PDB file of all heavy atoms in Angstrom:
ATOM      1  N   GLU B  53      36.097   8.678  -8.023  1.00 53.00           N
ATOM      2  CA  GLU B  53      36.219  10.128  -8.001  1.00 53.00           C
ATOM      3  C   GLU B  53      36.840  10.605  -9.296  1.00 53.00           C
ATOM      4  O   GLU B  53      37.725   9.953  -9.852  1.00 53.00           O
ATOM      5  CB  GLU B  53      37.082  10.557  -6.821  1.00 53.00           C
ATOM      6  CG  GLU B  53      36.351  10.403  -5.496  1.00 53.00           C
ATOM      7  CD  GLU B  53      37.279  10.673  -4.335  1.00 53.00           C
ATOM      8  OE1 GLU B  53      38.302  11.334  -4.551  1.00 53.00           O
ATOM      9  OE2 GLU B  53      36.969  10.203  -3.234  1.00 53.00           O
ATOM     10  N   GLU B  56      40.928  10.998 -11.281  1.00 49.00           N
ATOM     11  CA  GLU B  56      41.881   9.963 -10.889  1.00 49.00           C
ATOM     12  C   GLU B  56      42.056   9.058 -12.099  1.00 49.00           C
ATOM     13  O   GLU B  56      41.135   8.928 -12.892  1.00 49.00           O
ATOM     14  CB  GLU B  56      41.303   9.121  -9.749  1.00 49.00           C
ATOM     15  CG  GLU B  56      41.521   9.745  -8.394  1.00 49.00           C
ATOM     16  CD  GLU B  56      40.957   8.863  -7.305  1.00 49.00           C
ATOM     17  OE1 GLU B  56      40.499   7.748  -7.612  1.00 49.00           O
ATOM     18  OE2 GLU B  56      40.970   9.305  -6.158  1.00 49.00           O
ATOM     19  N   PRO B  57      43.213   8.422 -12.239  1.00 43.00           N
ATOM     20  CA  PRO B  57      43.356   7.507 -13.375  1.00 43.00           C
ATOM     21  C   PRO B  57      42.297   6.408 -13.306  1.00 43.00           C
ATOM     22  O   PRO B  57      42.090   5.813 -12.254  1.00 43.00           O
ATOM     23  CB  PRO B  57      44.756   6.905 -13.179  1.00 43.00           C
ATOM     24  CG  PRO B  57      45.429   7.733 -12.163  1.00 43.00           C
ATOM     25  CD  PRO B  57      44.398   8.449 -11.376  1.00 43.00           C
ATOM     26  N   GLN B  58      41.597   6.211 -14.397  1.00 50.00           N
ATOM     27  CA  GLN B  58      40.471   5.270 -14.394  1.00 50.00           C
ATOM     28  C   GLN B  58      40.745   4.106 -15.329  1.00 50.00           C
ATOM     29  O   GLN B  58      40.595   4.228 -16.521  1.00 50.00           O
ATOM     30  CB  GLN B  58      39.189   5.982 -14.862  1.00 50.00           C
ATOM     31  CG  GLN B  58      38.852   7.260 -14.148  1.00 50.00           C
ATOM     32  CD  GLN B  58      38.429   7.031 -12.719  1.00 50.00           C
ATOM     33  OE1 GLN B  58      37.988   5.929 -12.376  1.00 50.00           O
ATOM     34  NE2 GLN B  58      38.561   8.031 -11.894  1.00 50.00           N
ATOM     35  N   GLN B  59      41.153   3.011 -14.809  1.00 48.00           N
ATOM     36  CA  GLN B  59      41.270   1.822 -15.650  1.00 48.00           C
ATOM     37  C   GLN B  59      40.767   0.585 -14.912  1.00 48.00           C
ATOM     38  O   GLN B  59      41.484  -0.391 -14.738  1.00 48.00           O
ATOM     39  CB  GLN B  59      42.742   1.619 -16.079  1.00 48.00           C
ATOM     40  CG  GLN B  59      43.241   2.608 -17.136  1.00 48.00           C
ATOM     41  CD  GLN B  59      42.393   2.676 -18.376  1.00 48.00           C
ATOM     42  OE1 GLN B  59      41.838   1.678 -18.833  1.00 48.00           O
ATOM     43  NE2 GLN B  59      42.245   3.875 -18.950  1.00 48.00           N
ATOM     44  N   PRO B  60      39.514   0.608 -14.427  1.00 50.00           N
ATOM     45  CA  PRO B  60      39.036  -0.574 -13.718  1.00 50.00           C
ATOM     46  C   PRO B  60      38.896  -1.765 -14.663  1.00 50.00           C
ATOM     47  O   PRO B  60      38.790  -1.591 -15.877  1.00 50.00           O
ATOM     48  CB  PRO B  60      37.671  -0.162 -13.168  1.00 50.00           C
ATOM     49  CG  PRO B  60      37.372   1.159 -13.735  1.00 50.00           C
ATOM     50  CD  PRO B  60      38.510   1.635 -14.539  1.00 50.00           C
ATOM     51  N   GLN B  70      31.868   8.297 -13.009  1.00 91.00           N
ATOM     52  CA  GLN B  70      32.758   9.185 -12.263  1.00 91.00           C
ATOM     53  C   GLN B  70      31.921  10.289 -11.633  1.00 91.00           C
ATOM     54  O   GLN B  70      31.135  10.939 -12.324  1.00 91.00           O
ATOM     55  CB  GLN B  70      33.796   9.790 -13.207  1.00 91.00           C
ATOM     56  CG  GLN B  70      34.579   8.732 -13.956  1.00 91.00           C
ATOM     57  CD  GLN B  70      35.427   9.347 -15.043  1.00 91.00           C
ATOM     58  OE1 GLN B  70      36.583   9.688 -14.818  1.00 91.00           O
ATOM     59  NE2 GLN B  70      34.862   9.493 -16.226  1.00 91.00           N
ATOM     60  N   TRP B 161      33.307   6.213 -21.782  1.00 91.00           N
ATOM     61  CA  TRP B 161      33.041   6.215 -20.336  1.00 91.00           C
ATOM     62  C   TRP B 161      33.873   7.283 -19.625  1.00 91.00           C
ATOM     63  O   TRP B 161      33.402   7.961 -18.727  1.00 91.00           O
ATOM     64  CB  TRP B 161      33.352   4.811 -19.772  1.00 91.00           C
ATOM     65  CG  TRP B 161      33.147   4.700 -18.303  1.00 91.00           C
ATOM     66  CD1 TRP B 161      31.991   4.388 -17.661  1.00 91.00           C
ATOM     67  CD2 TRP B 161      34.128   4.915 -17.277  1.00 91.00           C
ATOM     68  NE1 TRP B 161      32.179   4.391 -16.307  1.00 91.00           N
ATOM     69  CE2 TRP B 161      33.493   4.718 -16.038  1.00 91.00           C
ATOM     70  CE3 TRP B 161      35.484   5.260 -17.288  1.00 91.00           C
ATOM     71  CZ2 TRP B 161      34.151   4.834 -14.833  1.00 91.00           C
ATOM     72  CZ3 TRP B 161      36.145   5.392 -16.065  1.00 91.00           C
ATOM     73  CH2 TRP B 161      35.479   5.182 -14.857  1.00 91.00           C
TER      74      TRP B 161
END
Side-chain angles (χ1 to χ4, degrees):
Chain B
E53 287 173 21
E56 276 181 5
Q58 308 291 337
Q59 287 306 325
Q70 304 170 91
W161 179 88

